[in-house]
mmCIF file of all heavy atoms in Angstrom:
data_model
loop_
_atom_site.group_PDB
_atom_site.id
_atom_site.type_symbol
_atom_site.label_atom_id
_atom_site.label_comp_id
_atom_site.label_asym_id
_atom_site.label_seq_id
_atom_site.Cartn_x
_atom_site.Cartn_y
_atom_site.Cartn_z
ATOM 1 N N THR O 660 112.950 107.125 97.636
ATOM 2 C CA THR O 660 112.721 108.389 98.041
ATOM 3 C C THR O 660 111.490 109.093 97.449
ATOM 4 O O THR O 660 110.616 109.773 98.171
ATOM 5 C CB THR O 660 113.976 109.349 97.650
ATOM 6 O OG1 THR O 660 115.075 108.655 98.275
ATOM 7 C CG2 THR O 660 113.917 110.800 98.122
ATOM 8 N N TYR O 661 111.302 108.859 96.056
ATOM 9 C CA TYR O 661 110.139 109.326 95.390
ATOM 10 C C TYR O 661 108.754 108.757 96.098
ATOM 11 O O TYR O 661 107.805 109.424 96.316
ATOM 12 C CB TYR O 661 110.264 109.074 93.902
ATOM 13 C CG TYR O 661 108.978 109.469 93.156
ATOM 14 C CD1 TYR O 661 108.796 110.854 92.711
ATOM 15 C CD2 TYR O 661 107.949 108.621 92.846
ATOM 16 C CE1 TYR O 661 107.698 111.196 91.992
ATOM 17 C CE2 TYR O 661 106.859 109.015 92.192
ATOM 18 C CZ TYR O 661 106.767 110.379 91.816
ATOM 19 O OH TYR O 661 105.583 110.738 91.039
ATOM 20 N N ALA O 662 108.861 107.411 96.116
ATOM 21 C CA ALA O 662 107.641 106.767 96.675
ATOM 22 C C ALA O 662 107.323 107.224 98.109
ATOM 23 O O ALA O 662 106.051 107.501 98.396
ATOM 24 C CB ALA O 662 107.890 105.275 96.726
ATOM 25 N N LEU O 663 108.349 107.463 98.901
ATOM 26 C CA LEU O 663 108.032 107.869 100.303
ATOM 27 C C LEU O 663 107.466 109.314 100.311
ATOM 28 O O LEU O 663 106.525 109.693 101.015
ATOM 29 C CB LEU O 663 109.323 107.803 101.349
ATOM 30 C CG LEU O 663 109.693 106.479 101.697
ATOM 31 C CD1 LEU O 663 110.990 106.482 102.319
ATOM 32 C CD2 LEU O 663 108.781 105.898 102.597
ATOM 33 N N TYR O 664 107.914 110.132 99.472
ATOM 34 C CA TYR O 664 107.457 111.549 99.247
ATOM 35 C C TYR O 664 105.916 111.320 98.792
ATOM 36 O O TYR O 664 105.048 112.108 99.451
ATOM 37 C CB TYR O 664 108.126 112.365 98.177
ATOM 38 C CG TYR O 664 107.631 113.715 97.856
ATOM 39 C CD1 TYR O 664 107.786 114.720 98.779
ATOM 40 C CD2 TYR O 664 106.882 113.771 96.761
ATOM 41 C CE1 TYR O 664 107.177 115.996 98.467
ATOM 42 C CE2 TYR O 664 106.265 115.103 96.510
ATOM 43 C CZ TYR O 664 106.437 116.070 97.422
ATOM 44 O OH TYR O 664 105.758 117.297 97.145
ATOM 45 N N GLN O 665 105.696 110.587 97.767
ATOM 46 C CA GLN O 665 104.263 110.494 97.271
ATOM 47 C C GLN O 665 103.269 109.936 98.288
ATOM 48 O O GLN O 665 102.196 110.354 98.456
ATOM 49 C CB GLN O 665 104.332 109.613 96.060
ATOM 50 C CG GLN O 665 104.932 110.176 94.733
ATOM 51 C CD GLN O 665 104.286 111.530 94.473
ATOM 52 O OE1 GLN O 665 103.040 111.789 94.645
ATOM 53 N NE2 GLN O 665 105.083 112.414 93.998
ATOM 54 N N ILE O 666 103.762 109.054 99.279
ATOM 55 C CA ILE O 666 102.956 108.455 100.278
ATOM 56 C C ILE O 666 102.629 109.593 101.215
ATOM 57 O O ILE O 666 101.570 109.663 101.692
ATOM 58 C CB ILE O 666 103.690 107.383 101.082
ATOM 59 C CG1 ILE O 666 103.849 106.084 100.027
ATOM 60 C CG2 ILE O 666 103.099 107.047 102.411
ATOM 61 C CD1 ILE O 666 104.734 104.967 100.645
ATOM 62 N N ARG O 667 103.584 110.460 101.656
ATOM 63 C CA ARG O 667 103.322 111.413 102.570
ATOM 64 C C ARG O 667 102.377 112.541 101.925
ATOM 65 O O ARG O 667 101.400 112.975 102.631
ATOM 66 C CB ARG O 667 104.661 112.230 102.767
ATOM 67 C CG ARG O 667 104.602 113.289 103.945
ATOM 68 C CD ARG O 667 105.845 113.883 104.401
ATOM 69 N NE ARG O 667 106.234 114.685 103.389
ATOM 70 C CZ ARG O 667 107.635 114.866 102.928
ATOM 71 N NH1 ARG O 667 108.384 114.271 103.745
ATOM 72 N NH2 ARG O 667 107.887 115.657 101.938
ATOM 73 N N GLU O 668 102.577 112.828 100.642
ATOM 74 C CA GLU O 668 101.565 113.788 99.978
ATOM 75 C C GLU O 668 100.193 113.173 99.877
ATOM 76 O O GLU O 668 99.318 113.900 100.119
ATOM 77 C CB GLU O 668 102.121 114.146 98.541
ATOM 78 C CG GLU O 668 103.320 115.102 98.691
ATOM 79 C CD GLU O 668 102.937 116.436 99.386
ATOM 80 O OE1 GLU O 668 102.048 117.138 98.702
ATOM 81 O OE2 GLU O 668 103.537 116.765 100.273
ATOM 82 N N ALA O 669 100.059 111.983 99.689
ATOM 83 C CA ALA O 669 98.774 111.342 99.487
ATOM 84 C C ALA O 669 98.128 111.389 100.852
ATOM 85 O O ALA O 669 96.788 111.653 100.808
ATOM 86 C CB ALA O 669 98.885 109.822 99.048
ATOM 87 N N ARG O 670 98.691 111.145 101.825
ATOM 88 C CA ARG O 670 98.135 111.161 103.221
ATOM 89 C C ARG O 670 97.662 112.555 103.543
ATOM 90 O O ARG O 670 96.636 112.917 104.097
ATOM 91 C CB ARG O 670 99.123 110.554 104.272
ATOM 92 C CG ARG O 670 99.547 109.292 103.947
ATOM 93 C CD ARG O 670 98.904 108.157 104.623
ATOM 94 N NE ARG O 670 98.922 106.766 104.104
ATOM 95 C CZ ARG O 670 100.061 106.047 104.081
ATOM 96 N NH1 ARG O 670 101.141 106.405 104.644
ATOM 97 N NH2 ARG O 670 100.042 104.889 103.388
ATOM 98 N N ARG O 671 98.602 113.542 103.277
ATOM 99 C CA ARG O 671 98.362 115.022 103.618
ATOM 100 C C ARG O 671 97.141 115.411 102.747
ATOM 101 O O ARG O 671 96.332 116.264 103.269
ATOM 102 C CB ARG O 671 99.614 115.764 103.170
ATOM 103 C CG ARG O 671 99.563 117.242 103.528
ATOM 104 C CD ARG O 671 100.783 117.953 103.276
ATOM 105 N NE ARG O 671 101.004 118.179 101.900
ATOM 106 C CZ ARG O 671 100.502 119.142 101.152
ATOM 107 N NH1 ARG O 671 99.723 120.036 101.733
ATOM 108 N NH2 ARG O 671 100.873 119.275 99.941
ATOM 109 N N ARG O 672 96.959 114.905 101.569
ATOM 110 C CA ARG O 672 95.828 115.378 100.734
ATOM 111 C C ARG O 672 94.640 114.533 100.785
ATOM 112 O O ARG O 672 93.695 114.673 99.999
ATOM 113 C CB ARG O 672 96.308 115.601 99.350
ATOM 114 C CG ARG O 672 97.288 116.618 99.102
ATOM 115 C CD ARG O 672 97.941 116.695 97.793
ATOM 116 N NE ARG O 672 98.986 117.653 97.795
ATOM 117 C CZ ARG O 672 99.406 118.119 96.638
ATOM 118 N NH1 ARG O 672 98.943 117.877 95.436
ATOM 119 N NH2 ARG O 672 100.430 118.994 96.539
ATOM 120 N N ASN O 673 94.709 113.423 101.590
ATOM 121 C CA ASN O 673 93.632 112.474 101.737
ATOM 122 C C ASN O 673 93.253 111.858 100.422
ATOM 123 O O ASN O 673 92.073 111.539 100.135
ATOM 124 C CB ASN O 673 92.358 113.136 102.203
ATOM 125 C CG ASN O 673 92.455 113.527 103.769
ATOM 126 O OD1 ASN O 673 93.163 112.805 104.574
ATOM 127 N ND2 ASN O 673 92.063 114.615 104.130
ATOM 128 N N ARG O 674 94.214 111.456 99.685
ATOM 129 C CA ARG O 674 93.963 110.656 98.301
ATOM 130 C C ARG O 674 93.737 109.291 98.615
ATOM 131 O O ARG O 674 94.077 108.765 99.705
ATOM 132 C CB ARG O 674 95.357 110.879 97.415
ATOM 133 C CG ARG O 674 95.378 112.186 96.792
ATOM 134 C CD ARG O 674 96.453 112.255 95.804
ATOM 135 N NE ARG O 674 97.702 112.012 96.420
ATOM 136 C CZ ARG O 674 98.879 112.189 95.741
ATOM 137 N NH1 ARG O 674 98.960 112.781 94.577
ATOM 138 N NH2 ARG O 674 100.105 112.133 96.478
ATOM 139 N N LEU O 675 93.132 108.573 97.711
ATOM 140 C CA LEU O 675 92.823 107.146 97.950
ATOM 141 C C LEU O 675 93.976 106.215 97.836
ATOM 142 O O LEU O 675 93.923 105.122 98.362
ATOM 143 C CB LEU O 675 91.627 106.752 97.035
ATOM 144 C CG LEU O 675 90.252 107.397 97.026
ATOM 145 C CD1 LEU O 675 89.382 107.036 95.992
ATOM 146 C CD2 LEU O 675 89.709 107.164 98.405
ATOM 147 N N TYR O 676 94.978 106.712 97.040
ATOM 148 C CA TYR O 676 96.138 105.907 96.815
ATOM 149 C C TYR O 676 97.349 106.728 96.787
ATOM 150 O O TYR O 676 97.236 107.898 96.612
ATOM 151 C CB TYR O 676 95.958 105.042 95.600
ATOM 152 C CG TYR O 676 95.691 105.812 94.328
ATOM 153 C CD1 TYR O 676 96.606 106.398 93.595
ATOM 154 C CD2 TYR O 676 94.325 105.998 93.978
ATOM 155 C CE1 TYR O 676 96.358 107.035 92.386
ATOM 156 C CE2 TYR O 676 93.988 106.813 92.842
ATOM 157 C CZ TYR O 676 95.020 107.298 92.051
ATOM 158 O OH TYR O 676 94.755 108.082 91.025
ATOM 159 N N ASP O 677 98.463 106.126 96.909
ATOM 160 C CA ASP O 677 99.816 106.865 96.962
ATOM 161 C C ASP O 677 100.348 107.073 95.540
ATOM 162 O O ASP O 677 100.817 108.243 95.371
ATOM 163 C CB ASP O 677 100.836 106.020 97.726
ATOM 164 C CG ASP O 677 100.250 105.776 99.093
ATOM 165 O OD1 ASP O 677 99.677 106.623 99.883
ATOM 166 O OD2 ASP O 677 100.643 104.618 99.656
ATOM 167 N N VAL O 678 100.539 106.040 94.734
ATOM 168 C CA VAL O 678 101.176 106.176 93.522
ATOM 169 C C VAL O 678 100.467 105.304 92.368
ATOM 170 O O VAL O 678 99.714 104.535 92.678
ATOM 171 C CB VAL O 678 102.687 105.782 93.326
ATOM 172 C CG1 VAL O 678 103.585 106.670 94.336
ATOM 173 C CG2 VAL O 678 102.861 104.209 93.893
ATOM 174 N N GLU O 679 100.618 105.762 91.168
ATOM 175 C CA GLU O 679 100.099 104.979 89.995
ATOM 176 C C GLU O 679 101.210 104.033 89.512
ATOM 177 O O GLU O 679 102.361 104.424 89.678
ATOM 178 C CB GLU O 679 99.492 105.865 88.896
ATOM 179 C CG GLU O 679 98.245 106.683 89.316
ATOM 180 C CD GLU O 679 97.623 107.289 88.199
ATOM 181 O OE1 GLU O 679 97.689 106.904 87.147
ATOM 182 O OE2 GLU O 679 96.923 108.216 88.521
ATOM 183 N N SER O 680 100.800 102.943 88.792
ATOM 184 C CA SER O 680 101.822 101.983 88.440
ATOM 185 C C SER O 680 102.289 102.286 86.974
ATOM 186 O O SER O 680 102.833 101.365 86.187
ATOM 187 C CB SER O 680 101.237 100.548 88.487
ATOM 188 O OG SER O 680 100.161 100.524 87.676
ATOM 189 N N THR O 681 102.077 103.457 86.451
ATOM 190 C CA THR O 681 102.466 103.738 85.188
ATOM 191 C C THR O 681 103.586 104.951 85.158
ATOM 192 O O THR O 681 104.039 105.257 86.228
ATOM 193 C CB THR O 681 101.115 104.379 84.455
ATOM 194 O OG1 THR O 681 100.887 105.766 85.003
ATOM 195 C CG2 THR O 681 100.055 103.458 84.474
ATOM 196 N N VAL O 682 103.853 105.436 84.055
ATOM 197 C CA VAL O 682 104.815 106.519 83.897
ATOM 198 C C VAL O 682 104.368 107.690 84.582
ATOM 199 O O VAL O 682 105.212 108.706 84.736
ATOM 200 C CB VAL O 682 105.230 106.828 82.402
ATOM 201 C CG1 VAL O 682 105.966 105.518 81.824
ATOM 202 C CG2 VAL O 682 104.050 107.141 81.591
ATOM 203 N N LYS O 683 103.104 107.884 84.970
ATOM 204 C CA LYS O 683 102.613 108.975 85.716
ATOM 205 C C LYS O 683 103.364 109.110 87.056
ATOM 206 O O LYS O 683 103.722 110.239 87.478
ATOM 207 C CB LYS O 683 101.166 108.916 85.981
ATOM 208 C CG LYS O 683 100.592 110.178 86.706
ATOM 209 C CD LYS O 683 98.988 110.253 86.787
ATOM 210 C CE LYS O 683 98.534 111.472 87.103
ATOM 211 N NZ LYS O 683 98.445 111.668 88.514
ATOM 212 N N ASP O 684 103.753 107.978 87.660
ATOM 213 C CA ASP O 684 104.568 107.938 88.832
ATOM 214 C C ASP O 684 105.879 107.081 88.484
ATOM 215 O O ASP O 684 106.814 107.637 88.030
ATOM 216 C CB ASP O 684 103.732 107.456 89.976
ATOM 217 C CG ASP O 684 102.893 108.413 90.542
ATOM 218 O OD1 ASP O 684 103.249 109.693 90.908
ATOM 219 O OD2 ASP O 684 101.557 108.194 90.681
ATOM 220 N N GLN O 685 105.724 105.841 88.860
ATOM 221 C CA GLN O 685 106.764 104.932 88.565
ATOM 222 C C GLN O 685 106.122 103.645 88.128
ATOM 223 O O GLN O 685 105.200 103.274 88.459
ATOM 224 C CB GLN O 685 107.594 104.616 89.916
ATOM 225 C CG GLN O 685 108.328 105.867 90.534
ATOM 226 C CD GLN O 685 108.990 105.516 91.724
ATOM 227 O OE1 GLN O 685 110.244 105.827 91.729
ATOM 228 N NE2 GLN O 685 108.517 105.080 92.801
ATOM 229 N N VAL O 686 106.913 103.025 87.075
ATOM 230 C CA VAL O 686 106.369 101.819 86.431
ATOM 231 C C VAL O 686 106.652 100.554 87.300
ATOM 232 O O VAL O 686 107.563 100.144 87.352
ATOM 233 C CB VAL O 686 106.958 101.645 85.101
ATOM 234 C CG1 VAL O 686 106.450 100.431 84.422
ATOM 235 C CG2 VAL O 686 106.775 102.913 84.141
ATOM 236 N N TYR O 687 105.435 100.265 88.024
ATOM 237 C CA TYR O 687 105.435 98.851 88.827
ATOM 238 C C TYR O 687 104.932 97.881 87.994
ATOM 239 O O TYR O 687 103.779 97.906 87.432
ATOM 240 C CB TYR O 687 104.702 99.289 90.102
ATOM 241 C CG TYR O 687 104.419 97.954 90.826
ATOM 242 C CD1 TYR O 687 105.329 97.389 91.582
ATOM 243 C CD2 TYR O 687 103.170 97.258 90.809
ATOM 244 C CE1 TYR O 687 105.170 96.141 92.283
ATOM 245 C CE2 TYR O 687 102.995 96.181 91.597
ATOM 246 C CZ TYR O 687 103.997 95.565 92.189
ATOM 247 O OH TYR O 687 103.862 94.404 93.074
ATOM 248 N N ARG O 688 105.768 96.755 87.655
ATOM 249 C CA ARG O 688 105.180 95.690 86.864
ATOM 250 C C ARG O 688 104.781 94.394 87.588
ATOM 251 O O ARG O 688 104.447 93.494 87.032
ATOM 252 C CB ARG O 688 106.387 95.414 85.815
ATOM 253 C CG ARG O 688 106.423 96.560 84.906
ATOM 254 C CD ARG O 688 107.440 96.400 83.817
ATOM 255 N NE ARG O 688 106.867 95.346 82.842
ATOM 256 C CZ ARG O 688 107.610 94.919 81.955
ATOM 257 N NH1 ARG O 688 108.812 95.064 81.889
ATOM 258 N NH2 ARG O 688 107.010 93.947 81.092
ATOM 259 N N GLY O 689 104.971 94.627 88.889
ATOM 260 C CA GLY O 689 104.496 93.424 89.669
ATOM 261 C C GLY O 689 105.387 92.282 89.814
ATOM 262 O O GLY O 689 106.508 92.253 89.404
ATOM 263 N N THR O 690 104.906 91.244 90.644
ATOM 264 C CA THR O 690 105.815 90.104 91.073
ATOM 265 C C THR O 690 106.262 89.409 89.900
ATOM 266 O O THR O 690 107.362 88.607 89.971
ATOM 267 C CB THR O 690 105.161 89.254 92.073
ATOM 268 O OG1 THR O 690 103.850 88.742 91.441
ATOM 269 C CG2 THR O 690 104.802 89.870 93.366
ATOM 270 N N ASP O 691 105.595 89.432 88.683
ATOM 271 C CA ASP O 691 105.944 88.626 87.556
ATOM 272 C C ASP O 691 107.387 89.084 86.982
ATOM 273 O O ASP O 691 108.142 88.403 86.298
ATOM 274 C CB ASP O 691 104.981 88.622 86.449
ATOM 275 C CG ASP O 691 103.638 87.836 86.689
ATOM 276 O OD1 ASP O 691 103.823 87.053 87.682
ATOM 277 O OD2 ASP O 691 102.777 87.938 86.082
ATOM 278 N N HIS O 692 107.822 90.237 87.317
ATOM 279 C CA HIS O 692 108.960 90.968 86.805
ATOM 280 C C HIS O 692 109.963 91.120 87.913
ATOM 281 O O HIS O 692 111.127 91.647 87.588
ATOM 282 C CB HIS O 692 108.556 92.281 86.052
ATOM 283 C CG HIS O 692 107.762 92.070 84.923
ATOM 284 N ND1 HIS O 692 108.074 91.739 83.686
ATOM 285 C CD2 HIS O 692 106.376 92.084 84.846
ATOM 286 C CE1 HIS O 692 107.080 91.543 82.906
ATOM 287 N NE2 HIS O 692 106.052 91.845 83.458
ATOM 288 N N GLU O 693 109.896 90.526 88.974
ATOM 289 C CA GLU O 693 110.903 90.631 90.024
ATOM 290 C C GLU O 693 112.032 89.459 89.696
ATOM 291 O O GLU O 693 111.585 88.598 88.987
ATOM 292 C CB GLU O 693 110.428 90.299 91.418
ATOM 293 C CG GLU O 693 109.405 91.248 91.964
ATOM 294 C CD GLU O 693 108.712 90.811 93.285
ATOM 295 O OE1 GLU O 693 109.312 89.883 93.853
ATOM 296 O OE2 GLU O 693 107.806 91.412 93.604
ATOM 297 N N ASP O 694 113.109 89.639 90.156
ATOM 298 C CA ASP O 694 114.177 88.739 89.984
ATOM 299 C C ASP O 694 115.119 88.858 91.187
ATOM 300 O O ASP O 694 115.215 89.793 91.892
ATOM 301 C CB ASP O 694 114.834 88.778 88.664
ATOM 302 C CG ASP O 694 115.626 90.009 88.325
ATOM 303 O OD1 ASP O 694 116.145 90.668 89.235
ATOM 304 O OD2 ASP O 694 115.688 90.484 87.249
ATOM 305 N N PHE O 695 116.059 87.841 91.231
ATOM 306 C CA PHE O 695 116.909 87.813 92.344
ATOM 307 C C PHE O 695 117.908 89.072 92.403
ATOM 308 O O PHE O 695 118.227 89.585 93.527
ATOM 309 C CB PHE O 695 117.796 86.475 92.239
ATOM 310 C CG PHE O 695 118.946 86.537 93.297
ATOM 311 C CD1 PHE O 695 118.637 86.245 94.619
ATOM 312 C CD2 PHE O 695 120.229 86.834 92.899
ATOM 313 C CE1 PHE O 695 119.611 86.197 95.527
ATOM 314 C CE2 PHE O 695 121.275 86.728 93.869
ATOM 315 C CZ PHE O 695 121.034 86.470 95.093
ATOM 316 N N LEU O 696 118.323 89.398 91.224
ATOM 317 C CA LEU O 696 119.267 90.533 91.283
ATOM 318 C C LEU O 696 118.580 91.898 91.701
ATOM 319 O O LEU O 696 119.179 92.590 92.581
ATOM 320 C CB LEU O 696 119.821 90.795 89.842
ATOM 321 C CG LEU O 696 120.594 89.754 89.172
ATOM 322 C CD1 LEU O 696 120.843 90.122 87.601
ATOM 323 C CD2 LEU O 696 121.899 89.641 89.784
ATOM 324 N N ALA O 697 117.392 92.202 91.343
ATOM 325 C CA ALA O 697 116.654 93.314 91.791
ATOM 326 C C ALA O 697 116.416 93.218 93.382
ATOM 327 O O ALA O 697 116.615 94.123 94.078
ATOM 328 C CB ALA O 697 115.385 93.437 91.111
ATOM 329 N N SER O 698 115.892 92.017 93.834
ATOM 330 C CA SER O 698 115.672 91.821 95.278
ATOM 331 C C SER O 698 116.799 91.969 96.030
ATOM 332 O O SER O 698 116.649 92.609 97.164
ATOM 333 C CB SER O 698 114.916 90.505 95.427
ATOM 334 O OG SER O 698 113.838 90.360 94.765
ATOM 335 N N ARG O 699 118.041 91.462 95.555
ATOM 336 C CA ARG O 699 119.195 91.654 96.314
ATOM 337 C C ARG O 699 119.601 93.138 96.586
ATOM 338 O O ARG O 699 119.924 93.518 97.754
ATOM 339 C CB ARG O 699 120.256 90.867 95.632
ATOM 340 C CG ARG O 699 121.588 90.867 96.410
ATOM 341 C CD ARG O 699 122.692 89.941 95.825
ATOM 342 N NE ARG O 699 123.158 90.640 94.520
ATOM 343 C CZ ARG O 699 123.796 89.931 93.654
ATOM 344 N NH1 ARG O 699 124.120 88.879 93.763
ATOM 345 N NH2 ARG O 699 124.169 90.681 92.568
ATOM 346 N N VAL O 700 119.516 93.876 95.464
ATOM 347 C CA VAL O 700 119.872 95.252 95.523
ATOM 348 C C VAL O 700 118.803 96.085 96.524
ATOM 349 O O VAL O 700 119.184 96.905 97.336
ATOM 350 C CB VAL O 700 119.965 96.008 94.225
ATOM 351 C CG1 VAL O 700 120.238 97.489 94.404
ATOM 352 C CG2 VAL O 700 121.172 95.331 93.564
ATOM 353 N N VAL O 701 117.484 95.644 96.334
ATOM 354 C CA VAL O 701 116.537 96.502 97.186
ATOM 355 C C VAL O 701 116.671 96.100 98.553
ATOM 356 O O VAL O 701 116.720 96.994 99.454
ATOM 357 C CB VAL O 701 115.089 95.951 96.759
ATOM 358 C CG1 VAL O 701 114.084 96.378 97.719
ATOM 359 C CG2 VAL O 701 114.739 96.495 95.305
#
């Protein structure tokens, strides 16, 4: 929900990107930190 909101806002404001991968938005750690449990719930 947060990511979709940020995507909409980024487009509305003509930003270059939607979210940052830090605590500024949401901590995205990349494919190295994915696992079966997380993927199943997503």
Side-chain angles (χ1 to χ4, degrees):
T660 303
Y661 177 83
L663 287 170
Y664 173 79
Q665 291 302 328
I666 290 167
R667 187 176 69 215
E668 285 298 299
R670 306 258 157 78
R671 188 174 70 80
R672 296 177 182 194
N673 291 321
R674 289 188 292 197
L675 296 175
Y676 54 88
D677 303 322
V678 294
E679 293 191 22
S680 62
T681 67
V682 295
K683 185 171 190 272
D684 284 306
Q685 298 184 119
V686 179
Y687 171 75
R688 297 185 67 198
T690 57
D691 289 347
H692 296 278
E693 293 176 12
D694 62 33
F695 173 76
L696 297 170
S698 295
R699 183 174 67 196
V700 175
V701 169

